[in-house]
Amino acid sequence: MTAATHSTLFPQGSGSSQYPAPPGGADAVLEGLDPEQREVATALRGPVCVLAGAGTGKTRAITHRIAYGVRAGILQPSSVLAVTFTNRAAGEMRGRLRQLGASGVQARTFHSAALRQLQYFWPKAVGGSLPRLVDRKIQLVADAAAACGIRLDRGELRDVTAEIEWCKVTRTVPADYAAMAAKTGREAPRHPGEITQLYAAYEDVKSDRGVIDFEDVLLLTVGILQDRHDIADAVRAQYQHFVVDEYQDVSPLQQRLLELWLGERDSLCVVGDASQTIYSFTGATPDHLLDFRTRHPGATVVKLVRDYRSSPQVVHLANGLLAQARGRAAEHRLELISQRDSGPEPVYTEYTDEPAEAEGAARRIRDLIASGVPASEIAILFRTNAQSEIYEQALADAGVPYQLRGAERFFDRPEVKRAIHGLRAAGRFGGNDSLLDDVVDLPAQVRAVLSSEGWTSEPPAGSGAVRERWESLAALVHLAQDFAAAKPDATLGDLVAELAERAAAQHAPTVQGVTLASLHSAKGLEWDVVLLVGVAEGMMPITYAKTEEQIEEERRLLYVGVTRARQHLSVSWALSRSPGSRPNRRPSRFLDGLRPGSTAAPTRGGAGGPGGIERGVAGGVEGVVRRVPRQPARCRVCGRTLTDAGEMKLMRCEDCPSDMDEGLYERLRDWRAAQAQRSGQPDFCVFTDKTLMAIAEAVPATPAELARIPGVLNRKLNRYGTEVLAICAGQELEEGNDED
């Protein structure tokens, strides 16, 4: 084995760790991999797309791929760059690679890799030192707002900051924001004109202070690689093989950087699952994953569907959720096949109200811990952070330790602290507070005080920090109503004392406790026991998910939650918010046909099914992933078994005589060229040459005959079928006729 050498372009980090002895050789690296994982590990040439379902061992497959290439002498460690989206994932990848004897491989986040390159090349490309990188941009946004004379509260600052980040990762400049927001149906936190003004002012503030932000790291690296061919060549000489994990989460900006790293080469392996796309609000899009075969016609596609994480019962529910999905991502869904022993069926529980649901979850967890399940192997997952408070309280009351992941504890949130401070002040000096002049009962007093903190009777539109803050305040309003119902004579001071006791009860050490997490923050994690709570209409899908795209992302979010469970899965919902309230809620529509006693929704077709391997053929395939046929294809002339994709499309050997209508073939080619020009895409994206040859040989007369030709998929049959059949019938198409 050749020892890893230090890069001449980028300095290496120092430090070492002790790991078990690596496998004895390249072949030993492949031991223990299933057939599809092994195919990933040995597919070292050309573009490779790995469609990896939840729990199918994708990290194992791609790290063994890199290690096998290094140990076999095919890949130089310093020439490989593996990129992912979190430091945790990058660290895990580096650790596995060291264990496999592939030290020296760079495994980084997009931003980390770009920052190293930017720091190294900035003096040469621009001169001087790289501008200071700011950790948090919210203060800069506040200063930009002040310069514009626009007043933003804390929640709005967070939302505007997130909106600016979205603009930058989607490569949207200030002048184009309003049009882009309208085109994408984005719910702007302020008027689009104000966002445009704030965005432009923010860029001016950064420029004046000589600082850059997180997104600038990618933007500046892209700019340098685009403008300085000598620097681009140097980077490409250093890195020659690329692996991208979680490819469904790539933003347009990250995709552009990847393209510049690659140049004209195709040594790229991407790994992803369109059914786990849950961050589109940040600019992430699965389109790059779904279009991979179109951009790389010769790609090898491997599907990983053997689920090693979850029991067959959990996998069955996960598959059932996606079977009802719609949209483009659903067309490429993967049907998982559990590799674990049978486990218990998922438990579906309906409660009368939210407190009863929280108490029921706490009881079940207490029983599980008593039976020997470690608290650290149990998680409660919910849709919004504001839901955490009632579960924090229920677990505290039950004496169950917990830890909150991905969000502040309810009573540590700034808006909750300010609200309690306001309630305490009102309780002491309420007689001098004009807000309380016309209110009598406790809930009305709380609503009056919290209205000055941003609470309103109707929730704000859209998602984001403003919505989260409102939900936190609304939780306090609901708590006050429940407290007053239990103690009709309670005062504002009594409520404040109750809140103080609740906050104090939840500050016990919770390092080894049950995990409380939102579904978004649970991505990439797994537990033996998962309790999915609040799975009711209005919360799952969330009320502000209006469009079909937004609804489908909510379905995928629930799918991610289900697939976090290894063995025990509990799904629950409440019919009302509080005791005695009207039971006007119903279970989530996503559970229709899956939970006992519910009616099944119509099943949607998808591109799921068994896993497998599809060899790419340079020169074109239709950009749609197909499974390898179960029966061998045979030449319709000589009967020989066909293995070449182009021959299988023609259903004859390349050198067997053809009965193709040459005139029809030329007319089809002319028609295809016109279609491609109208749509602005390459000719082969309409139909490949082989498909046109097959049509010209078969001369179909009906849609059914045309559909039997390999390469004529339903989508293309619907789009082009009428015109193709007209051409085959010898009819002249009207000038400019276009099925688009």
Side-chain angles (χ1 to χ4, degrees), residues 311-314 316-317 342-348 364 567-571 594 596:
S311 69
Q313 288 75 12
V314 173
H316 178 71
L317 175 56
S342 183
E345 290 289 338
V347 176
Y348 300 87
R364 176 145 199 260
Q567 195 77 0
H568 299 272
L569 178 65
S570 172
V571 183
L594 301 175

Side-chain angles (χ1 to χ4, degrees), residues 32 135 141 171 200 209 234 246 281 322 336 339 354 364 395 459 463 466 518 555 634 654 673 693 720:
D135 294 330
V141 176
R171 307 178 74 192
R209 299 182 186 179
E246 302 288 2
F281 59 91
L322 293 188
L336 302 177
Q339 305 299 298
E354 288 180 5
R364 176 145 199 260
L395 291 175
S463 57
V466 171
S518 70
R555 188 194 305 274
R634 299 187 182 279
E654 196 78 56
M693 291 173 66
Y720 303 125

Side-chain angles (χ1 to χ4, degrees), residues 614-650:
E614 299 144 36
R615 308 286 184 186
V617 179
V621 291
E622 291 303 325
V624 176
V625 177
R626 288 182 175 276
R627 295 193 297 274
V628 178
R630 293 178 181 275
Q631 299 298 326
R634 299 187 182 279
C635 174
R636 55 188 169 83
V637 179
C638 70
R640 182 177 68 85
T641 299
L642 303 176
T643 57
D644 178 81
E647 291 183 339
M648 288 191 286
K649 191 164 287 187
L650 293 174

